[in-house]
Amino acid sequence: MLKYYCRNCFEIFSESMSELGKENWCIMEMVIRHYNQLTMCIEIVSNMSDCFYPNRVVEQQFVKIHQQYFSLCSNEEDLLDAPAGVVLVATLLPILLIPFIVYIVVWKSSLRD
């Protein structure tokens, strides 16, 4: 029964995505509103059907949606390597701070004696 009622949510999402155009399916800023509407619709339908949300049926439907619309999307451009200088500073700064902190602790403890 849940599958039947969720079909309306998926049809609305499919219409929105086709209006959006295939070239925009991987642009999160353009897709997120439609995706959120789909999520809310399915959550409402699940609650009206006295089903827990999320559940196995809903998860299977979302997997189908992701396979259909987002399987070709890649995040490679979002995962560029940090510049070498940033990596070097982020690595060396904690290493250089450790001896300084140890020195301060030893110095403070010697003042108390």
Side-chain angles (χ1 to χ4, degrees):
M1 185 170 114
L2 180 61
K3 273 186 184 180
Y4 177 76
Y5 289 119
C6 282
R7 200 171 302 151
N8 292 329
C9 299
F10 294 118
E11 287 175 5
I12 293 169
F13 179 76
S14 294
E15 288 174 21
S16 299
M17 292 300 282
S18 64
E19 290 173 8
L20 191 62
K22 225 176 193 178
E23 66 278 356
N24 296 318
W25 288 357
C26 293
I27 302 172
M28 182 60 75
E29 292 81 18
M30 299 193 70
V31 173
I32 194 69
R33 182 171 50 92
H34 306 292
Y35 194 85
N36 286 339
Q37 289 172 345
L38 170 68
T39 304
M40 288 188 303
C41 181
I42 292 174
E43 187 172 358
I44 291 167
V45 168
S46 293
N47 290 333
M48 290 173 63
S49 303
D50 288 329
C51 295
F52 290 106
Y53 178 84
N55 57 54
R56 190 175 51 84
V57 172
V58 170
E59 287 175 8
Q60 290 172 350
Q61 297 302 317
F62 270 106
V63 167
K64 287 180 186 177
I65 288 285
H66 279 255
Q67 287 173 339
Q68 182 176 353
Y69 292 102
F70 309 118
S71 62
L72 298 178
C73 297
S74 172
N75 287 337
E76 287 180 18
E77 60 196 27
D78 295 340
L79 301 174
L80 298 175
D81 288 337
V86 172
V87 173
L88 188 62
V89 168
T91 305
L92 291 179
L93 189 62
I95 293 171
L96 294 175
L97 281 177
I98 291 172
F100 179 71
I101 293 170
V102 169
Y103 171 76
I104 299 245
V105 168
V106 170
W107 179 65
K108 281 289 195 180
S109 65
S110 70
L111 289 178
R112 290 185 186 171
D113 292 336

